[in-house]
PDB file of all heavy atoms in Angstrom:
ATOM      1  N   LEU H  79      -9.813  51.523  74.452  1.00 98.00           N
ATOM      2  CA  LEU H  79      -9.465  50.922  73.176  1.00 98.00           C
ATOM      3  C   LEU H  79     -10.756  50.574  72.457  1.00 98.00           C
ATOM      4  O   LEU H  79     -11.716  50.119  73.089  1.00 98.00           O
ATOM      5  CB  LEU H  79      -8.628  49.662  73.398  1.00 98.00           C
ATOM      6  CG  LEU H  79      -8.286  48.825  72.167  1.00 98.00           C
ATOM      7  CD1 LEU H  79      -7.225  49.528  71.334  1.00 98.00           C
ATOM      8  CD2 LEU H  79      -7.819  47.432  72.592  1.00 98.00           C
ATOM      9  N   TYR H  80     -10.771  50.762  71.134  1.00 98.00           N
ATOM     10  CA  TYR H  80     -11.978  50.505  70.359  1.00 98.00           C
ATOM     11  C   TYR H  80     -11.678  49.625  69.156  1.00 98.00           C
ATOM     12  O   TYR H  80     -10.560  49.583  68.645  1.00 98.00           O
ATOM     13  CB  TYR H  80     -12.595  51.810  69.855  1.00 98.00           C
ATOM     14  CG  TYR H  80     -12.916  52.795  70.939  1.00 98.00           C
ATOM     15  CD1 TYR H  80     -12.083  53.876  71.189  1.00 98.00           C
ATOM     16  CD2 TYR H  80     -14.056  52.640  71.718  1.00 98.00           C
ATOM     17  CE1 TYR H  80     -12.373  54.782  72.189  1.00 98.00           C
ATOM     18  CE2 TYR H  80     -14.354  53.539  72.724  1.00 98.00           C
ATOM     19  CZ  TYR H  80     -13.516  54.610  72.954  1.00 98.00           C
ATOM     20  OH  TYR H  80     -13.809  55.506  73.950  1.00 98.00           O
ATOM     21  N   LEU H  81     -12.707  48.942  68.701  1.00 98.00           N
ATOM     22  CA  LEU H  81     -12.643  48.208  67.448  1.00 98.00           C
ATOM     23  C   LEU H  81     -13.946  48.450  66.706  1.00 98.00           C
ATOM     24  O   LEU H  81     -15.001  47.945  67.105  1.00 98.00           O
ATOM     25  CB  LEU H  81     -12.429  46.707  67.684  1.00 98.00           C
ATOM     26  CG  LEU H  81     -12.251  45.876  66.415  1.00 98.00           C
ATOM     27  CD1 LEU H  81     -10.934  46.225  65.720  1.00 98.00           C
ATOM     28  CD2 LEU H  81     -12.299  44.385  66.729  1.00 98.00           C
ATOM     29  N   GLU H  82     -13.873  49.238  65.647  1.00 98.00           N
ATOM     30  CA  GLU H  82     -15.026  49.498  64.796  1.00 98.00           C
ATOM     31  C   GLU H  82     -15.076  48.405  63.746  1.00 98.00           C
ATOM     32  O   GLU H  82     -14.128  48.239  62.976  1.00 98.00           O
ATOM     33  CB  GLU H  82     -14.912  50.869  64.148  1.00 98.00           C
ATOM     34  CG  GLU H  82     -16.108  51.270  63.313  1.00 98.00           C
ATOM     35  CD  GLU H  82     -17.312  51.630  64.157  1.00 98.00           C
ATOM     36  OE1 GLU H  82     -17.123  52.198  65.249  1.00 98.00           O
ATOM     37  OE2 GLU H  82     -18.453  51.350  63.724  1.00 98.00           O
ATOM     38  N   MET H  83     -16.157  47.667  63.715  1.00 98.00           N
ATOM     39  CA  MET H  83     -16.300  46.536  62.819  1.00 98.00           C
ATOM     40  C   MET H  83     -17.435  46.820  61.841  1.00 98.00           C
ATOM     41  O   MET H  83     -18.592  46.950  62.252  1.00 98.00           O
ATOM     42  CB  MET H  83     -16.586  45.252  63.598  1.00 98.00           C
ATOM     43  CG  MET H  83     -15.537  44.948  64.667  1.00 98.00           C
ATOM     44  SD  MET H  83     -15.839  43.363  65.487  1.00 98.00           S
ATOM     45  CE  MET H  83     -17.392  43.735  66.313  1.00 98.00           C
ATOM     46  N   ASN H  84     -17.095  46.920  60.574  1.00 98.00           N
ATOM     47  CA  ASN H  84     -18.071  47.188  59.528  1.00 98.00           C
ATOM     48  C   ASN H  84     -18.198  45.990  58.602  1.00 98.00           C
ATOM     49  O   ASN H  84     -17.291  45.167  58.491  1.00 98.00           O
ATOM     50  CB  ASN H  84     -17.664  48.416  58.720  1.00 98.00           C
ATOM     51  CG  ASN H  84     -17.617  49.672  59.552  1.00 98.00           C
ATOM     52  OD1 ASN H  84     -18.528  49.954  60.322  1.00 98.00           O
ATOM     53  ND2 ASN H  84     -16.548  50.452  59.392  1.00 98.00           N
ATOM     54  N   ASN H  85     -19.331  45.927  57.912  1.00 98.00           N
ATOM     55  CA  ASN H  85     -19.591  44.839  56.970  1.00 98.00           C
ATOM     56  C   ASN H  85     -19.285  43.481  57.596  1.00 98.00           C
ATOM     57  O   ASN H  85     -18.539  42.667  57.044  1.00 98.00           O
ATOM     58  CB  ASN H  85     -18.783  45.038  55.689  1.00 98.00           C
ATOM     59  CG  ASN H  85     -19.206  44.103  54.574  1.00 98.00           C
ATOM     60  OD1 ASN H  85     -20.345  43.645  54.530  1.00 98.00           O
ATOM     61  ND2 ASN H  85     -18.278  43.804  53.663  1.00 98.00           N
ATOM     62  N   LEU H  86     -19.865  43.246  58.737  1.00 98.00           N
ATOM     63  CA  LEU H  86     -19.604  42.006  59.464  1.00 98.00           C
ATOM     64  C   LEU H  86     -20.076  40.789  58.682  1.00 98.00           C
ATOM     65  O   LEU H  86     -21.078  40.838  57.967  1.00 98.00           O
ATOM     66  CB  LEU H  86     -20.271  42.046  60.825  1.00 98.00           C
ATOM     67  CG  LEU H  86     -19.530  42.896  61.855  1.00 98.00           C
ATOM     68  CD1 LEU H  86     -20.446  43.274  63.005  1.00 98.00           C
ATOM     69  CD2 LEU H  86     -18.301  42.150  62.369  1.00 98.00           C
ATOM     70  N   MET H  87     -19.341  39.710  58.845  1.00 98.00           N
ATOM     71  CA  MET H  87     -19.613  38.458  58.161  1.00 98.00           C
ATOM     72  C   MET H  87     -19.792  37.343  59.183  1.00 98.00           C
ATOM     73  O   MET H  87     -19.285  37.438  60.298  1.00 98.00           O
ATOM     74  CB  MET H  87     -18.453  38.104  57.227  1.00 98.00           C
ATOM     75  CG  MET H  87     -18.129  39.174  56.213  1.00 98.00           C
ATOM     76  SD  MET H  87     -16.662  38.746  55.232  1.00 98.00           S
ATOM     77  CE  MET H  87     -16.565  40.181  54.170  1.00 98.00           C
ATOM     78  N   PRO H  88     -20.491  36.279  58.822  1.00 97.00           N
ATOM     79  CA  PRO H  88     -20.662  35.167  59.766  1.00 97.00           C
ATOM     80  C   PRO H  88     -19.341  34.634  60.313  1.00 97.00           C
ATOM     81  O   PRO H  88     -19.280  34.214  61.473  1.00 97.00           O
ATOM     82  CB  PRO H  88     -21.388  34.112  58.926  1.00 97.00           C
ATOM     83  CG  PRO H  88     -22.193  34.918  57.966  1.00 97.00           C
ATOM     84  CD  PRO H  88     -21.313  36.079  57.614  1.00 97.00           C
ATOM     85  N   ASP H  89     -18.284  34.664  59.512  1.00 96.00           N
ATOM     86  CA  ASP H  89     -16.987  34.185  59.975  1.00 96.00           C
ATOM     87  C   ASP H  89     -16.372  35.075  61.046  1.00 96.00           C
ATOM     88  O   ASP H  89     -15.391  34.689  61.675  1.00 96.00           O
ATOM     89  CB  ASP H  89     -16.014  34.054  58.805  1.00 96.00           C
ATOM     90  CG  ASP H  89     -16.278  32.835  57.948  1.00 96.00           C
ATOM     91  OD1 ASP H  89     -17.083  31.980  58.356  1.00 96.00           O
ATOM     92  OD2 ASP H  89     -15.674  32.729  56.866  1.00 96.00           O
ATOM     93  N   ASP H  90     -16.935  36.259  61.257  1.00 97.00           N
ATOM     94  CA  ASP H  90     -16.475  37.127  62.328  1.00 97.00           C
ATOM     95  C   ASP H  90     -17.052  36.731  63.678  1.00 97.00           C
ATOM     96  O   ASP H  90     -16.660  37.290  64.705  1.00 97.00           O
ATOM     97  CB  ASP H  90     -16.842  38.582  62.039  1.00 97.00           C
ATOM     98  CG  ASP H  90     -16.145  39.132  60.818  1.00 97.00           C
ATOM     99  OD1 ASP H  90     -14.940  38.841  60.629  1.00 97.00           O
ATOM    100  OD2 ASP H  90     -16.792  39.863  60.045  1.00 97.00           O
ATOM    101  N   THR H  91     -17.978  35.809  63.690  1.00 97.00           N
ATOM    102  CA  THR H  91     -18.582  35.347  64.938  1.00 97.00           C
ATOM    103  C   THR H  91     -17.513  34.762  65.848  1.00 97.00           C
ATOM    104  O   THR H  91     -16.788  33.852  65.460  1.00 97.00           O
ATOM    105  CB  THR H  91     -19.663  34.304  64.663  1.00 97.00           C
ATOM    106  OG1 THR H  91     -20.742  34.911  63.949  1.00 97.00           O
ATOM    107  CG2 THR H  91     -20.203  33.712  65.956  1.00 97.00           C
ATOM    108  N   ALA H  92     -17.414  35.298  67.052  1.00 98.00           N
ATOM    109  CA  ALA H  92     -16.379  34.872  67.984  1.00 98.00           C
ATOM    110  C   ALA H  92     -16.535  35.649  69.284  1.00 98.00           C
ATOM    111  O   ALA H  92     -17.287  36.618  69.363  1.00 98.00           O
ATOM    112  CB  ALA H  92     -14.982  35.123  67.408  1.00 98.00           C
ATOM    113  N   ILE H  93     -15.798  35.215  70.284  1.00 98.00           N
ATOM    114  CA  ILE H  93     -15.615  36.018  71.478  1.00 98.00           C
ATOM    115  C   ILE H  93     -14.403  36.902  71.232  1.00 98.00           C
ATOM    116  O   ILE H  93     -13.330  36.403  70.891  1.00 98.00           O
ATOM    117  CB  ILE H  93     -15.389  35.153  72.727  1.00 98.00           C
ATOM    118  CG1 ILE H  93     -16.571  34.208  72.936  1.00 98.00           C
ATOM    119  CG2 ILE H  93     -15.194  36.034  73.954  1.00 98.00           C
ATOM    120  CD1 ILE H  93     -16.354  33.200  74.043  1.00 98.00           C
ATOM    121  N   TYR H  94     -14.581  38.182  71.407  1.00 98.00           N
ATOM    122  CA  TYR H  94     -13.508  39.139  71.156  1.00 98.00           C
ATOM    123  C   TYR H  94     -12.863  39.570  72.464  1.00 98.00           C
ATOM    124  O   TYR H  94     -13.557  39.955  73.413  1.00 98.00           O
ATOM    125  CB  TYR H  94     -14.049  40.364  70.412  1.00 98.00           C
ATOM    126  CG  TYR H  94     -14.276  40.093  68.948  1.00 98.00           C
ATOM    127  CD1 TYR H  94     -15.326  39.277  68.531  1.00 98.00           C
ATOM    128  CD2 TYR H  94     -13.439  40.629  67.975  1.00 98.00           C
ATOM    129  CE1 TYR H  94     -15.527  39.001  67.186  1.00 98.00           C
ATOM    130  CE2 TYR H  94     -13.632  40.366  66.634  1.00 98.00           C
ATOM    131  CZ  TYR H  94     -14.676  39.550  66.244  1.00 98.00           C
ATOM    132  OH  TYR H  94     -14.880  39.277  64.908  1.00 98.00           O
ATOM    133  N   TYR H  95     -11.537  39.511  72.498  1.00 98.00           N
ATOM    134  CA  TYR H  95     -10.777  39.823  73.694  1.00 98.00           C
ATOM    135  C   TYR H  95      -9.867  41.027  73.466  1.00 98.00           C
ATOM    136  O   TYR H  95      -9.215  41.138  72.428  1.00 98.00           O
ATOM    137  CB  TYR H  95      -9.892  38.651  74.103  1.00 98.00           C
ATOM    138  CG  TYR H  95     -10.644  37.395  74.458  1.00 98.00           C
ATOM    139  CD1 TYR H  95     -10.911  36.427  73.497  1.00 98.00           C
ATOM    140  CD2 TYR H  95     -11.075  37.173  75.757  1.00 98.00           C
ATOM    141  CE1 TYR H  95     -11.594  35.271  73.818  1.00 98.00           C
ATOM    142  CE2 TYR H  95     -11.755  36.021  76.090  1.00 98.00           C
ATOM    143  CZ  TYR H  95     -12.012  35.072  75.117  1.00 98.00           C
ATOM    144  OH  TYR H  95     -12.688  33.921  75.445  1.00 98.00           O
ATOM    145  N   CYS H  96      -9.805  41.868  74.448  1.00 98.00           N
ATOM    146  CA  CYS H  96      -8.836  42.954  74.509  1.00 98.00           C
ATOM    147  C   CYS H  96      -7.588  42.430  75.205  1.00 98.00           C
ATOM    148  O   CYS H  96      -7.681  41.666  76.170  1.00 98.00           O
ATOM    149  CB  CYS H  96      -9.455  44.115  75.289  1.00 98.00           C
ATOM    150  SG  CYS H  96      -8.372  45.495  75.647  1.00 98.00           S
ATOM    151  N   ALA H  97      -6.410  42.829  74.724  1.00 98.00           N
ATOM    152  CA  ALA H  97      -5.162  42.329  75.294  1.00 98.00           C
ATOM    153  C   ALA H  97      -4.104  43.418  75.349  1.00 98.00           C
ATOM    154  O   ALA H  97      -4.076  44.321  74.510  1.00 98.00           O
ATOM    155  CB  ALA H  97      -4.639  41.142  74.470  1.00 98.00           C
ATOM    156  N   ALA H  98      -3.219  43.298  76.338  1.00 97.00           N
ATOM    157  CA  ALA H  98      -2.125  44.245  76.516  1.00 97.00           C
ATOM    158  C   ALA H  98      -0.856  43.499  76.883  1.00 97.00           C
ATOM    159  O   ALA H  98      -0.905  42.490  77.585  1.00 97.00           O
ATOM    160  CB  ALA H  98      -2.461  45.258  77.604  1.00 97.00           C
ATOM    161  N   PRO H  99       0.305  43.977  76.441  1.00 97.00           N
ATOM    162  CA  PRO H  99       1.562  43.334  76.809  1.00 97.00           C
ATOM    163  C   PRO H  99       1.994  43.721  78.211  1.00 97.00           C
ATOM    164  O   PRO H  99       1.475  44.673  78.799  1.00 97.00           O
ATOM    165  CB  PRO H  99       2.548  43.876  75.766  1.00 97.00           C
ATOM    166  CG  PRO H  99       2.017  45.246  75.466  1.00 97.00           C
ATOM    167  CD  PRO H  99       0.507  45.119  75.534  1.00 97.00           C
ATOM    168  N   GLU H 100       2.962  43.003  78.733  1.00 96.00           N
ATOM    169  CA  GLU H 100       3.485  43.323  80.054  1.00 96.00           C
ATOM    170  C   GLU H 100       4.393  44.542  80.021  1.00 96.00           C
ATOM    171  O   GLU H 100       4.379  45.353  80.956  1.00 96.00           O
ATOM    172  CB  GLU H 100       4.242  42.133  80.631  1.00 96.00           C
ATOM    173  CG  GLU H 100       4.764  42.362  82.042  1.00 96.00           C
ATOM    174  CD  GLU H 100       5.320  41.118  82.671  1.00 96.00           C
ATOM    175  OE1 GLU H 100       5.226  40.042  82.060  1.00 96.00           O
ATOM    176  OE2 GLU H 100       5.848  41.213  83.792  1.00 96.00           O
ATOM    177  N   ASP H 101       5.187  44.681  78.976  1.00 95.00           N
ATOM    178  CA  ASP H 101       6.167  45.748  78.884  1.00 95.00           C
ATOM    179  C   ASP H 101       5.639  46.945  78.107  1.00 95.00           C
ATOM    180  O   ASP H 101       4.909  46.805  77.131  1.00 95.00           O
ATOM    181  CB  ASP H 101       7.444  45.244  78.221  1.00 95.00           C
ATOM    182  CG  ASP H 101       8.132  44.159  79.015  1.00 95.00           C
ATOM    183  OD1 ASP H 101       8.024  44.175  80.257  1.00 95.00           O
ATOM    184  OD2 ASP H 101       8.781  43.298  78.397  1.00 95.00           O
ATOM    185  N   SER H 102       6.042  48.117  78.543  1.00 95.00           N
ATOM    186  CA  SER H 102       5.685  49.344  77.859  1.00 95.00           C
ATOM    187  C   SER H 102       6.565  49.551  76.633  1.00 95.00           C
ATOM    188  O   SER H 102       7.619  48.921  76.494  1.00 95.00           O
ATOM    189  CB  SER H 102       5.814  50.534  78.812  1.00 95.00           C
ATOM    190  OG  SER H 102       7.139  50.648  79.310  1.00 95.00           O
ATOM    191  N   TRP H 103       6.123  50.419  75.744  1.00 95.00           N
ATOM    192  CA  TRP H 103       6.870  50.824  74.551  1.00 95.00           C
ATOM    193  C   TRP H 103       7.329  49.636  73.706  1.00 95.00           C
ATOM    194  O   TRP H 103       8.469  49.585  73.241  1.00 95.00           O
ATOM    195  CB  TRP H 103       8.072  51.681  74.935  1.00 95.00           C
ATOM    196  CG  TRP H 103       7.707  52.900  75.709  1.00 95.00           C
ATOM    197  CD1 TRP H 103       6.801  53.859  75.351  1.00 95.00           C
ATOM    198  CD2 TRP H 103       8.233  53.295  76.979  1.00 95.00           C
ATOM    199  NE1 TRP H 103       6.735  54.826  76.320  1.00 95.00           N
ATOM    200  CE2 TRP H 103       7.603  54.502  77.329  1.00 95.00           C
ATOM    201  CE3 TRP H 103       9.182  52.741  77.850  1.00 95.00           C
ATOM    202  CZ2 TRP H 103       7.880  55.174  78.506  1.00 95.00           C
ATOM    203  CZ3 TRP H 103       9.468  53.410  79.029  1.00 95.00           C
ATOM    204  CH2 TRP H 103       8.826  54.602  79.348  1.00 95.00           C
TER     205      TRP H 103
END
Side-chain angles (χ1 to χ4, degrees):
L79 174 74
Y80 304 101
L81 184 68
E82 184 73 35
M83 305 184 294
N84 298 314
N85 191 26
L86 283 161
M87 304 175 180
D89 284 350
D90 295 319
T91 295
I93 302 173
Y94 283 72
Y95 298 92
C96 173
E100 183 171 355
D101 297 329
S102 59
W103 302 306

